[in-house]
């Protein structure tokens, strides 16, 4: 049976689920019950403002005890009221393993709050150890944010904080990482039962003395006690991630160049091979895609088992591939070659749309990003759209996901692209608003239903211009016609397109006004060759114009 302290004001406080604290208003002291050892411990409080704790309200907020109210009225001596104040509870938690019933480990002093402001913010440890900047060391001490201020004070006052490096945060500020000295790092990593021997032997200077300023302080704290306290707060000794990143400040190209140069030297190969290293590459999901012009010499094949892992590590990639030219077949198959990795399936997110496809089977163009975004920004809520060259959903998905088209008829004849298209419709939750028409669009495309038709084929889609006209409603609509055009022949191309669409429409029995609303310059396809998209508006003529046109036509 434990002896219960007498004359206590019954304020119960739970600290780390192992300590119960009672505040004694008569002796102005804490009575701490360590539930782990079943030992009572008394800590005296020094009230600078001589606060009265009679008729107070106390609540634990985080690591602090907040006390509001208190006071008394006397006919002879007048009235005394206490201002609100708070006590940081962490310094009152038993920090060592040698708790004795009569031990008085520390004194806590609490200053009153001026203008009802919070007074005490953290534990401050004042060491007589020499304050000097220690030699930089590539380790940090990680603490939860709630213990950061106290941890910093401990490290700083014992000379454990490396002032030559900066503090940084991790996981959106949840953890704070403090740079520490080499000596402290080595001692911290030692076993718990070695702390006292390691720190206290011959280290009498590492004993904190009372501090005369404001706040909450400990009267006698040794290095081992402070170290154990950091341990209780969950402190972790880690490598300095910021310094590691700065050390590897070389560009990926420099890293790759140096590593491959060493490999070439070891294999006794000519240094001219380094001229074939790529200085640019693209990322497709987790695949780094090298240009087709890189590593062309057959000699590279003789060291491929060592070469490609070096490239992957230098570029921080799980998989590496080399781009090939798009096959000249009508299905425009990809010739991407996987250099390191198990398969070519990749997930690529663009403009909030997920594209999943086998990069070794299906073509994908990074340069069309702006055009896909432009199509996605159109107002297509009540429209039916026919995409004559859907592929894996390059423009079909922006029409559905972003432009909110009512229905898209997607025509595609590459079976690998059709597989990816169906998969992407499911992944983007739009399969119910798309009809996939597999095969030659000249045979499968619907007629007379479209508000707009997309013809996204390069270098030209001219073979399907008549198909596009037939797909439009009788009232007309919009054609988005892609093509590769010499920069000096843009006007000739647009004039040819305008004339051709008009002639096709007349052949189909339509009397439409054909005009050019806009010409989009998407990208340079090759030197002096532009990828253009012409927006062709096709509208039905009014009655008078139609009659006059009929007279002229006949």
């Amino acid at each position: 049976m434990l002896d219960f302290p007498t004359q206590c004001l019954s304020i119960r406080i739970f600290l780390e689920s192992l300590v119960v604290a009672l505040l004694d208003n008569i002796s102005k002291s804490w009575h701490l019950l360590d539930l782990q050892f079943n030992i009572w411990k008394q800590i005296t409080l020094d009230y600078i403002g001589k606060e009265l704790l009679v008729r107070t309200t106390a609540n634990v907020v985080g690591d602090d005890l907040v006390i509001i109210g208190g006071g008394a009225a006397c006919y002879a001596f007048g009235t005394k009221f206490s201002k609100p104040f708070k006590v940081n509870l962490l310094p009152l938690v038993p920090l060592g393993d040698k708790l004795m019933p009569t031990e008085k480990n520390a004194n806590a002093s609490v200053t009153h709050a001026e203008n009802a402001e919070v007074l005490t913010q953290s534990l401050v440890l004042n060491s007589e150890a020499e304050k000097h900047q220690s030699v930089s060391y590539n380790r940090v001490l990680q603490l939860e944010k709630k213990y950061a201020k106290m941890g910093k004070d401990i490290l700083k006052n014992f000379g454990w904080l490396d002032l030559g490096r900066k503090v940084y945060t991790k996981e959106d500020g949840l953890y704070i990482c403090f740079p520490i000295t080499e000596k402290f790092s080595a001692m911290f990593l030692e076993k718990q039962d070695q702390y006292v021997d390691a720190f206290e032997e011959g280290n009498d200077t590492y004993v904190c003395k009372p501090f005369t300023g404001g706040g909450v302080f400990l009267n006698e704290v040794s290095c081992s006690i402070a170290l154990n306290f950091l341990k209780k707060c969950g402190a972790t000794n880690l490598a300095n991630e910021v310094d590691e990143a700065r050390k590897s400040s070389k560009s990926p190209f420099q890293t790759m160049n140096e590593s491959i140069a060493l490999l070439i030297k070891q294999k006794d190969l000519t240094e001219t091979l380094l001229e074939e290293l790529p200085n640019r590459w693209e990322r497709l999901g987790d695949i780094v895609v090298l240009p087709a012009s890189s590593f062309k010499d057959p000699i590279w094949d003789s060291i491929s088992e060592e070469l490609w892992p070096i490239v992957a590590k230098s570029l921080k990639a799980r998989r590496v591939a080399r781009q090939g030219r798009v096959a000249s077949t009508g299905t425009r198959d990809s010739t991407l070659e996987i250099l390191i990795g198990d398969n070519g399936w990749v997930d690529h997110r663009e403009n909030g749309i997920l594209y999943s496809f086998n990069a070794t089977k299906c073509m994908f163009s990074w340069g069309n990003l702006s055009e896909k975004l432009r199509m996605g920004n159109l107002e297509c809520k009540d429209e039916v759209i026919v995409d004559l060259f859907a592929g894996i959903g390059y423009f079909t998905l922006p029409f559905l996901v972003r432009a909110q088209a009512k229905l898209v008829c997607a025509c595609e004849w590459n079976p690998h692209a059709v597989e990816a298209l169906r998969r992407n419709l499911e992944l983007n939750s739009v399969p119910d608003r798309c009809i996939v028409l597999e095969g030659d669009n000249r045979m499968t495309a619907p007629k007379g239903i479209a508000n707009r038709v997309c013809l996204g084929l390069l270098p030209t889609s001219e073979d399907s211009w008549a198909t596009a006209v037939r797909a439009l409603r009788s009232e007309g609509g919009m054609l988005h016609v892609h093509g590769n055009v010499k920069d000096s022949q843009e006007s000739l191309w647009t004039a040819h397109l305008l004339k051709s669409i008009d002639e096709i429409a007349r052949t189909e029995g339509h009397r439409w006004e054909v005009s050019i609303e806009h010409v989009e310059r998407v990208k340079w396809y090759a030197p002096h060759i532009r990828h253009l998209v012409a927006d062709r508006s096709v509208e039905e003529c009014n009655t008078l114009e139609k009659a006059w046109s009929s007279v002229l036509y006949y």
Side-chain angles (χ1 to χ4, degrees), residues 449-467:
I449 68 168
N451 297 92
R452 68 178 70 234
V453 180
C454 181
L455 298 95
L457 179 66
L458 298 178
T460 179
S461 59
E462 189 165 357
D463 287 347
S464 294
W465 287 359
T467 304

Side-chain angles (χ1 to χ4, degrees), residues 451-518:
N451 297 92
R452 68 178 70 234
V453 180
C454 181
L455 298 95
L457 179 66
L458 298 178
T460 179
S461 59
E462 189 165 357
D463 287 347
S464 294
W465 287 359
T467 304
V469 171
R470 297 187 192 106
L472 289 173
R473 301 173 304 160
S474 59
E475 297 87 351
M478 180 69 71
L479 302 176
H480 301 288
V481 184
H482 293 236
N484 283 344
V485 184
K486 285 186 177 181
D487 53 2
S488 60
Q489 298 179 356
E490 288 186 19
S491 59
L492 293 177
W493 180 74
T494 55
H496 170 65
L497 177 59
L498 188 65
K499 180 181 178 181
S500 298
I501 297 298
D502 183 64
E503 290 177 352
I504 293 171
R506 288 178 180 277
T507 302
E508 295 295 324
H510 300 296
R511 298 294 176 265
W512 286 343
E513 289 183 0
V514 182
S515 61
I516 301 173
E517 280 200 359
H518 175 71

Side-chain angles (χ1 to χ4, degrees), residues 354 397 420-432:
L354 182 60
L397 292 172
L421 173 59
R422 296 186 188 278
R423 180 174 180 171
N424 291 330
L425 292 172
E426 294 288 345
L427 290 174
N428 291 279
S429 304
V430 290
D432 56 328

Side-chain angles (χ1 to χ4, degrees), residues 222-293:
S222 66
C223 292
S224 59
I225 295 296
L227 193 64
N228 289 343
F229 177 74
L230 291 174
K231 199 80 173 180
K232 280 183 175 287
C233 292
T236 308
N237 189 328
L238 303 173
N240 190 327
E241 296 178 1
V242 173
D243 283 359
E244 290 294 331
R246 287 173 181 169
K247 282 184 178 180
S248 58
S249 58
K250 295 179 182 178
S251 69
F253 174 77
Q254 289 174 317
T255 303
M256 178 174 60
N257 193 305
E258 292 177 3
S259 300
I260 295 178
L262 181 60
L263 175 63
I264 287 175
K265 185 176 180 180
Q266 291 173 348
K267 299 296 182 180
D268 197 24
L269 300 176
T270 174
E271 292 184 358
T272 57
L273 288 171
L274 295 175
E275 297 175 3
E276 295 188 2
L277 268 60
N279 54 19
R280 61 178 181 83
W281 45 85
E282 296 171 320
R283 286 188 180 270
L284 195 57
D286 65 344
I287 299 180
V288 167
V289 181
L290 307 176
S293 59

